Amino acid sequence: MFDGATATEIARHVAMLIQSMAGSLSTSELLSGGGTRGPHRLHGEFMDARSGAMSPFVVNPALAKQVLAEVARSFESAMLREDDDASRSGALFVVSGDGLFLGKTVRESEYQEFARHVIGPLARHAGLPHAVCRPGSLDSCWAEAALNRTSLNVPVLAFVHGHRHWIVMPASARMRGFAVSRSAQDLEPLGTAQYYDVKPIWAKSKARQGFLRQLAVLGMNPAAAPAIAEMQAQWVELKATVGGDVDFLSREGSDERPFIDYSLLFEIYAPGRRVDVRGAHCLEARSCFEEDPTGCRVLCVSIIDFFTRFSVYRHLESLWKKFKFHDYGQKVKDLLGCPLRQRPLSPRWHAGARAVLRVNGTEHFPPLPFSRAVEVEIHLQYKEKESYLDEACEPYLDMVCEDVVSEINWTTDVEQVEDECKGPYSRSISCKQAQCVFLTESRYLDQCGSWMQQSCHKKLLVVAVLENVFGV
C-alpha cells in the first residue's frame, strides 16, 4: 500500500485515515442514542458498523465525542516516527502534529485481544462509564478521565484498514500534561520528559539499567529517612494504582490466561519547582520538598503495550529464557517497588543488633553533600537465614550497586566478639564475623546500603560453610 511512498506521504495518508475513522465513530449510532449504553456493552457494541472503528470511550458518549474531536484536530498533521524495533517487525508508528496521540500498527492477534476481550473490561476498569468532568476542565476532561483510576495507557481509537490493524493511543506525557494544565496549548507543564521503556527481569529491556541508575542519582526514594509525609502518600497511591492495573492484566480471580510482556513507561521531569501532580500517577523526589525546589525532579508511570497473552508458545519461550514471563505481574510490581523502597539498615532497625554500620567512622549518619565520596564500614556476625534484601530485588540492585560501589577491604579478623565466642576452641558457626569496607558516593547510600550489607553477609556465609563443613 505504501510501496515507494516517502515518510511524509505515509504520515499524511495515515493522518487522513485516522481523522476519517474518528469522524465516522463520532457520528455513529453508538454515540447518538443507538445501541446499549453503559458499561455492559458486548464487544460489537463498541464498534461503528460502517467503518469498523471502535473505542472504549463509547461507554460515555459525551466523553467519546470530546476525545474523538481531539484526535481529529490533533491529526491535522502527522509525522512518521523511525523505530528500530518497529522497522524490524514491519510496524508503522505515526505521531500526531502536536504530539498528543500516537497511531501504531499491531499484530492481528494483539488487535483481536483488544477488540474481543479487553475493550469492555478496560472501559469499566478505567471508570470511563461514570467519569465526571471537574469545573474548568471541559476540554481536558477525557485526559483526566483516562488518568483518573488507572495507569494503563487507554487506547482512544482502533480500526482495521486493508491488512493493517491500527490502535491510536494518547502519548502518555502529553496527555498527563494536558490533564495537569487543562490547556491544549500547554502540553508540557512539567517540562520535557526523559522516557524509559522498562520491562522486569528477565524480559529484554534496553533501558532498564540506565533507568535504575538514574533513580539512584536523583535520590528518588520515598522510604529514606527523614520521612516526608506527602512523598510517602504519593508513593502509597502510585503503588496501589499500578498494583491494581497489574492485577487487572493478570486476570486475577478468573481462569483466563494473563497478559504479559508489557512495559512500565517511566517519565522523569525537571520542572525546577513544586507542581500539582495529584491524580497523575507521579512521585516527587525529595528535592521538590526543599526550601529551594529548583532541583525538583518528578517521576511518572504508565503501563503500555498490554495486549499479549501468556499463550502456549509464550509459555515455552518463557521456560527457555529464565522463566521471564512466569508470574509476570509480580515481577512488574517488583520492578516498580524494588528501586523505590530501599534504605540502609542500622543497629536500631536490625533484629538482634548484630550489625554495625558506620559511614565515615560514625554511626550517626550526619548530613552529607549529595555527591560526596564516603567510606562505609560494615561489621556483622553470622546469623542463619539472614537477609538484608528481598530476593526479588537483588538483581535490580546488582545492576546499580556493582557499578557505583567498590569494596576496599574484607576480613574475618574482628576483635570485638561476644563473650560466648571468646577462647581458642570456639567453633560455633554463629560466632563467625566479618568486617567489610566499601567506597561509594553519599547519593547511593539509600539505594545501596542494604545491598552492601547483603554482599558482606554472603561472603561471610561462604567462609562459615567452608570452615564448618569442609574444615577449610
Side-chain angles (χ1 to χ4, degrees), residues 205-241:
S205 181
K206 296 178 182 178
R208 187 167 51 221
Q209 185 167 8
F211 168 71
L212 296 172
R213 276 288 299 273
Q214 185 71 351
L215 280 190
V217 169
L218 295 178
M220 193 74 69
N221 193 344
I228 298 175
E230 188 174 349
M231 186 182 186
Q232 291 180 326
Q234 290 174 356
W235 173 229
V236 169
E237 183 178 348
L238 180 61
K239 278 195 302 181
T241 300

Side-chain angles (χ1 to χ4, degrees), residues 15 119 184 188 192 219 230 253 255 282 327 335 349 362 379 427 470:
I119 190 168
E188 295 185 331
T192 303
E230 188 174 349
D255 296 328
C282 298
D327 202 15
L335 169 61
W349 300 326
T362 178
H379 172 193
R427 299 284 293 173
F470 300 104

Side-chain angles (χ1 to χ4, degrees), residues 395-410:
Y396 295 110
L397 295 183
D398 285 344
M399 291 181 183
V400 177
C401 302
E402 287 180 351
D403 288 341
V404 301
V405 177
S406 57
E407 185 177 14
I408 57 177
N409 188 40
W410 186 85

Side-chain angles (χ1 to χ4, degrees), residues 68-356:
L68 292 170
E70 195 67 44
V71 168
R73 182 201 62 77
S74 187
F75 273 100
E76 289 177 357
S77 63
M79 63 178 292
L80 187 68
R81 194 169 90 177
E82 301 294 335
D83 186 289
D84 290 341
D85 293 332
S87 297
R88 284 193 292 270
S89 66
L92 291 175
F93 206 107
V94 177
V95 184
S96 66
D98 59 3
L100 186 54
F101 296 99
L102 313 171
K104 63 179 292 189
T105 56
V106 298
R107 297 183 184 93
E108 181 179 0
S109 60
E110 294 174 327
Y111 186 90
Q112 293 301 334
E113 284 291 350
F114 174 71
R116 295 176 180 273
H117 304 293
V118 176
I119 190 168
L122 178 60
R124 295 191 292 273
H125 177 76
L128 298 181
H130 310 295
V132 177
C133 297
R134 293 187 296 170
S137 65
L138 292 180
D139 291 340
S140 61
C141 182
W142 70 267
E144 293 182 21
L147 285 171
N148 184 39
R149 288 177 48 181
T150 181
S151 61
L152 297 168
N153 191 8
V154 180
V156 298
L157 182 65
F159 58 89
V160 179
H161 184 73
H163 65 283
R164 298 184 186 274
H165 298 77
W166 289 91
I167 290 183
V168 180
M169 66 204 77
S172 60
R174 293 292 179 103
M175 177 179 67
R176 205 181 317 275
F178 194 15
V180 170
S181 71
R182 300 185 181 181
S183 171
Q185 281 68 52
D186 185 12
L187 298 179
E188 295 185 331
L190 306 181
T192 303
Q194 285 182 284
Y195 295 98
Y196 297 88
D197 183 341
V198 185
K199 294 180 181 179
I201 296 287
W202 296 98
K204 185 178 180 181
S205 181
K206 296 178 182 178
R208 187 167 51 221
Q209 185 167 8
F211 168 71
L212 296 172
R213 276 288 299 273
Q214 185 71 351
L215 280 190
V217 169
L218 295 178
M220 193 74 69
N221 193 344
I228 298 175
E230 188 174 349
M231 186 182 186
Q232 291 180 326
Q234 290 174 356
W235 173 229
V236 169
E237 183 178 348
L238 180 61
K239 278 195 302 181
T241 300
V242 174
D245 293 335
V246 169
D247 290 343
F248 170 77
L249 296 175
S250 299
R251 317 311 287 164
E252 294 292 329
S254 78
D255 296 328
E256 296 181 57
R257 292 181 180 272
F259 291 94
I260 57 163
D261 205 25
Y262 49 91
S263 302
L264 293 184
L265 180 63
F266 294 98
E267 305 154 20
I268 294 180
Y269 299 90
R273 67 189 190 285
R274 287 298 309 278
V275 289
D276 184 0
V277 294
R278 288 174 295 176
H281 317 310
C282 298
L283 177 67
E284 293 175 280
R286 306 181 74 83
S287 54
C288 300
F289 300 93
E290 296 174 353
E291 185 175 346
D292 178 8
T294 54
C296 178
R297 297 293 185 271
V298 177
L299 173 72
C300 301
V301 186
S302 299
I303 298 179
I304 61 173
D305 299 335
F306 45 85
F307 304 127
T308 300
R309 288 274 191 182
F310 194 28
S311 62
V312 173
Y313 171 78
R314 293 291 185 173
H315 188 96
L316 294 174
E317 179 185 357
S318 181
L319 290 174
W320 181 254
K321 298 181 178 179
K322 298 184 178 181
F323 297 91
K324 67 177 184 177
F325 295 140
H326 283 72
D327 202 15
Y328 194 80
Q330 183 57 51
K331 289 175 180 175
V332 172
K333 292 179 182 179
D334 292 335
L335 169 61
L336 177 67
C338 287
L340 293 170
R341 66 172 184 242
Q342 301 303 320
R343 65 181 180 184
L345 298 176
S346 80
R348 291 188 299 276
W349 300 326
H350 193 310
R354 289 193 171 202
V356 175

